[in-house]
């Protein structure tokens, strides 16, 4: 009788778990003594069982990075079901405040950490590693019924969003557009997208007209724009991709021709200035816990595939390899 049939027979007939365990161990010893390659599989399974992790990981910050981190967490949970991974989406700025207070292990960010946030971390003796995980484009969107707008220049966006601006109606931007009031939607001040957009478009981070629908949840902006024929807003490209049946995407012209944001144009740098890197910031103290280190390694190793799945643009293989090397130093 072959060894495989012996194992199957024993498994069917023996119901006592302890006896089954002893039998499997005995078979493994027989296989090893016979020089079978299957011994590696048994030994490997035992090693994986020993490597099962426990504990918890707290992630908060950017709503833009949230879909990617949540996708990574879902895949990680399938491999390490005993590790509790919680993902928040309070915004990059709010996330850094929590991170500096030691309330999170990892902070998602759609912009680089600011000097004041660096100082806050220093005051709390929190050291961290910055990890770039993907690229993203900020999408300018309008209602599906908007028939007059296909593109907008960065200069027009500045007129529309700058503090103390005079733009109220569509016709204030271009005379041929309707003389109807524009209803604006965008992220609130806690979001890195707000900081990045105002810096790139208005010329100063945080400089924005105040009379717009400021949202903490981008899904609220999606719903608002989808229901309002005179609405315009901005948020991460992934949120448009998830809701493209409800929204119309607008091309942006920075003086070199109108360009639509896409995986290709963000990746090759032609969608400028509204393309940006996305980050996670990892507490070095937290990495003393095995589950955190393994999660971040898993994140970097799987970010390429998962970022594309959720609508972001992967970095190059070389960039991910460098990120992993820097993290493990």
């Amino acid at each position: 009788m072959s060894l495989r049939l012996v194992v199957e027979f024993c498994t069917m007939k023996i119901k006592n778990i302890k006896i089954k365990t002893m039998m499997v161990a005995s078979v493994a010893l027989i296989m090893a003594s016979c020089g079978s390659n299957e011994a590696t599989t048994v030994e490997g399974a035992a090693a994986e069982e020993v490597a099962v992790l426990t504990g918890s990981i707290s992630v908060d910050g950017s709503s833009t990075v949230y879909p990617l981190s949540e996708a990574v967490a879902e895949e990680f949970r399938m491999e390490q079901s005993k590790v509790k991974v919680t993902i928040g989406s309070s915004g990059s700025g709010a996330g850094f405040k929590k991170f500096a207070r030691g309330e999170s292990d990892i902070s998602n960010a759609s912009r680089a950490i600011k000097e004041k946030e660096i100082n806050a971390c220093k005051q709390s003796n929190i050291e961290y590693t910055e990890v770039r995980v993907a690229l993203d484009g900020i999408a300018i969107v309008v209602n599906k019924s908007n028939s007059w707008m296909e593109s907008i220049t960065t200069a027009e966006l500045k007129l529309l969003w700058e503090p103390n601006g005079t733009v109220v109606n569509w016709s204030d931007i271009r005379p041929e557009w309707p003389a109807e009031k524009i209803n604006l939607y965008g992220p609130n001040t806690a979001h890195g997208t707000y900081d990045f957009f105002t810096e790139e478009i208005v010329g100063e981070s945080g400089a924005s007209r105040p009379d717009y629908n400021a949202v903490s949840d981008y899904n609220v902006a999606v719903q608002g724009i989808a229901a309002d024929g005179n609405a315009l807003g901005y948020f991460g490209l992934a949120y448009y991709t998830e809701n493209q049946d409800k929204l119309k995407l607008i091309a942006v012209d920075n003086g070199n021709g109108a360009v639509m944001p896409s995986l290709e144009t963000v990746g090759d740098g032609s969608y400028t200035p509204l393309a940006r890197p996305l980050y996670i910031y990892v507490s070095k103290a937290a990495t003393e816990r095995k589950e955190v280190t393994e999660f971040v390694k898993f994140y970097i190793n799987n970010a390429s595939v998962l970022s594309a799945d959720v609508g972001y643009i992967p970095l190059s293989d070389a960039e991910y390899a460098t990120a992993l090397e820097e993290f493990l130093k």
Side-chain angles (χ1 to χ4, degrees):
M1 183 180 293
S2 69
L3 181 59
R4 179 177 63 82
L5 292 176
V6 170
V7 174
E8 290 179 354
F9 177 80
C10 292
T11 302
M12 286 190 296
K13 295 297 183 181
I14 301 175
K15 301 302 182 181
N16 185 285
I17 293 175
K18 290 184 179 179
I19 297 177
K20 286 175 68 178
T21 302
M22 292 173 63
M23 179 64 71
V24 171
S26 298
V27 170
L29 289 173
I30 294 170
M31 291 167 66
S33 65
C34 294
S36 169
N37 290 333
E38 294 184 35
T40 304
T41 304
V42 175
E43 292 173 0
E48 288 178 6
E49 187 174 349
V50 173
V52 170
L53 302 173
T54 59
S56 62
I57 304 168
S58 173
V59 185
D60 207 328
S62 169
S63 294
T64 300
V65 184
Y66 173 86
L68 175 55
S69 290
E70 180 57 33
V72 172
E74 286 180 7
E75 294 296 322
F76 184 76
R77 292 182 192 112
M78 292 177 67
E79 292 194 4
Q80 297 289 350
S81 60
K82 295 185 181 298
V83 178
K84 181 181 179 182
V85 185
T86 57
I87 314 288
S89 58
S90 61
S92 295
F96 277 129
K97 288 179 181 178
K98 293 181 180 181
F99 188 68
R101 294 195 296 262
E103 296 174 7
S104 61
D105 302 313
I106 299 170
S107 196
N108 292 332
S110 58
R111 58 164 173 81
I113 190 169
K114 294 181 177 180
E115 189 66 30
K116 65 179 182 181
E117 293 160 344
I118 293 173
N119 291 334
C121 288
K122 286 180 179 178
Q123 290 174 5
S124 300
N125 295 316
I126 292 178
E127 298 182 20
Y128 56 82
T129 301
E130 177 188 274
V131 182
R132 281 185 24 149
V133 292
L135 300 173
D136 178 40
I138 294 179
I140 308 299
V141 298
V142 295
N143 184 273
K144 274 280 191 181
S145 68
N146 185 316
S147 60
W148 59 89
M149 187 179 187
E150 301 297 331
S151 68
I152 190 168
T153 69
T154 51
E156 290 169 338
L157 280 172
K158 181 177 181 181
L159 287 174
L160 180 59
W161 284 96
E162 65 186 351
N164 305 314
T166 59
V167 173
V168 176
N169 299 326
W170 291 102
S171 57
D172 294 331
I173 302 176
R174 297 185 193 179
E176 65 269 27
W177 287 355
E180 297 183 27
K181 185 177 182 299
I182 304 172
N183 299 315
L184 295 172
Y185 288 81
N188 64 22
T189 58
H191 289 272
T193 301
Y194 170 86
D195 294 323
F196 184 85
F197 181 87
T198 52
E199 183 171 344
E200 294 297 327
I201 296 301
V202 181
E204 179 184 349
S205 179
S208 174
R209 64 188 297 168
D211 59 333
Y212 73 99
N213 295 289
V215 302
S216 59
D217 182 348
Y218 293 143
N219 292 307
V220 173
V222 168
Q223 293 167 11
I225 297 168
D228 185 345
N230 283 308
L232 177 147
Y234 70 91
F235 39 66
L237 180 59
Y239 283 88
Y240 163 75
T241 302
E242 290 178 0
N243 299 278
Q244 54 189 301
D245 58 324
K246 305 173 186 176
L247 306 169
K248 179 179 177 180
L249 187 63
I250 301 301
V252 174
D253 186 348
N254 72 341
N256 296 310
V259 178
M260 281 284 193
S262 67
L263 298 181
E264 292 74 23
T265 60
V266 172
D268 65 21
S270 59
Y271 185 66
T272 182
L274 293 180
R276 57 181 174 169
L278 303 178
Y279 306 88
I280 58 172
Y281 287 80
V282 186
S283 165
K284 288 190 175 181
T287 59
E288 294 177 4
R289 307 197 318 266
K290 181 74 171 176
E291 69 270 20
V292 176
T293 297
E294 291 303 314
F295 176 75
V296 177
K297 287 166 59 180
F298 185 89
Y299 201 129
I300 296 170
N301 287 330
N302 291 275
S304 179
V305 172
L306 294 177
S307 59
D309 285 349
V310 297
Y312 296 127
I313 297 85
L315 305 178
S316 68
D317 290 343
E319 288 175 299
Y320 284 121
T322 299
L324 183 59
E325 182 181 348
E326 292 294 320
F327 172 68
L328 293 175
K329 280 184 177 178

